[in-house]
Amino acid sequence: QAALTQPASVSGSPGQSITISCTGTRSDVGLYSLVSWYQQHPGRAPKLMIYEVTKRPSGVSNRFSGSKSGNTASLTISGLQAEDESHYYCSSYAGGTTVIFGGGTKLTVL
Amino acid sequence: EVQLVVSGGGLVQPGRSLRLSCAASGFTFEDYGIHWVRQAPGQGLEWVSGISWNSGTIGYADSVKGRFTLSRDNTNDSLSLHMNSLRPDDTAVYYCAKVGVRRLYYYYMDVWGEGTTVTVSS
């Protein structure tokens, strides 16, 4: 299974909104509503930010939102804050017993 | 507090074996699937293996199939990843993560352990 495709980097200024895309195929992102997004700070374990495409775990800011269209899922962060600077990974169920991740996107807050 | 503690990493020579453990606390372990995800130095996350709550479903990434074996002990709230025929490209931080929904093989991973480093080198 090939990895999901994410942009290597995105950036934005405080207060702005950014969107990170995650492109798969009709066998993974396009077929299942099991896309999740994880935030990972350097040296730390990943943290779940969005699950089932659009749902936010308790404790995650409502500035984080998810969506999906066709084979592409997206993570949008509104009202950017310095603390949002991190790496973000998307993940999708790919059928059978397989789970796949995206290559990751480094978010820089300017 | 829901917690996963990963242990067993270290330096190992190519071709040798290593066993990683993931100890759970703070939740009903026997009700949840657990997955392993690794991250090579400077690289992204890679799914390695997963096991359902009752061991009825076990999956492996193609890169480790036939070399890694995942098992769980619901009596002791723990699971083990046995890694054989290790290669330099298995070098990574290995995380275990809990599935967020009861009695499913996978939905999403809601709690992650802090990871253990495996270095395969002569």
Side-chain angles (χ1 to χ4, degrees):
Chain A
Q1 274 286 352
L4 304 173
T5 300
Q6 298 181 232
S9 63
V10 298
S11 62
S13 299
Q16 288 186 330
S17 294
I18 62 94
T19 296
I20 300 172
S21 62
C22 170
T23 300
T25 70
R26 58 185 179 182
S27 298
D28 39 66
V29 174
L31 183 59
Y32 303 101
S33 292
L34 292 179
V35 175
S36 49
W37 290 89
Y38 302 88
Q39 176 191 65
Q40 186 184 33
H41 292 301
R44 301 302 306 275
K47 173 187 175 184
L48 178 67
M49 304 301 286
I50 295 288
Y51 65 99
E52 293 179 49
V53 180
T54 61
K55 298 178 181 178
R56 228 178 11 255
S58 173
V60 172
S61 170
N62 60 9
R63 298 185 298 105
F64 290 82
S65 62
S67 63
K68 188 181 83 164
S69 177
N71 299 335
T72 298
S74 299
L75 172 71
T76 297
I77 309 173
S78 59
L80 267 181
Q81 299 180 0
E83 67 204 48
D84 299 331
E85 185 162 296
S86 189
H87 281 86
Y88 293 86
Y89 295 89
C90 62
S91 178
S92 176
Y93 178 60
T97 58
T98 302
V99 179
I100 52 175
F101 280 89
T105 298
K106 178 177 172 56
L107 168 62
T108 301
V109 181
L110 302 170
Chain B
E1 179 191 6
V2 176
Q3 195 171 13
L4 296 170
V5 178
V6 184
S7 61
L11 173 63
V12 61
Q13 293 179 328
R16 303 299 292 266
S17 300
L18 201 62
R19 188 189 77 166
L20 304 184
S21 298
C22 177
S25 61
F27 65 100
T28 306
F29 179 75
E30 64 187 17
D31 277 348
Y32 291 90
I34 303 288
H35 288 252
W36 287 88
V37 176
R38 69 184 181 184
Q39 186 169 35
Q43 302 301 308
L45 302 175
E46 178 190 15
W47 175 78
V48 173
S49 181
I51 188 168
S52 63
W53 58 282
N54 62 354
S55 302
T57 301
I58 303 175
Y60 300 95
D62 287 344
S63 57
V64 307
K65 199 172 293 184
R67 300 187 299 122
F68 289 15
T69 302
L70 181 56
S71 61
R72 65 187 295 157
D73 179 354
N74 286 346
T75 301
N76 292 310
D77 291 357
S78 66
L79 81 166
S80 297
L81 182 67
H82 293 260
M83 306 185 295
N84 297 323
S85 303
L86 282 163
R87 310 186 303 219
D89 62 358
D90 293 318
T91 295
V93 175
Y94 285 73
Y95 299 99
C96 66
K98 167 186 163 291
V99 173
V101 179
R102 288 177 69 245
R103 305 206 169 187
L104 288 179
Y105 169 75
Y106 178 76
Y107 233 63
Y108 52 89
M109 302 175 206
D110 66 339
V111 177
W112 295 62
E114 280 302 322
T116 189
T117 300
V118 173
T119 302
V120 184
S121 174
S122 54

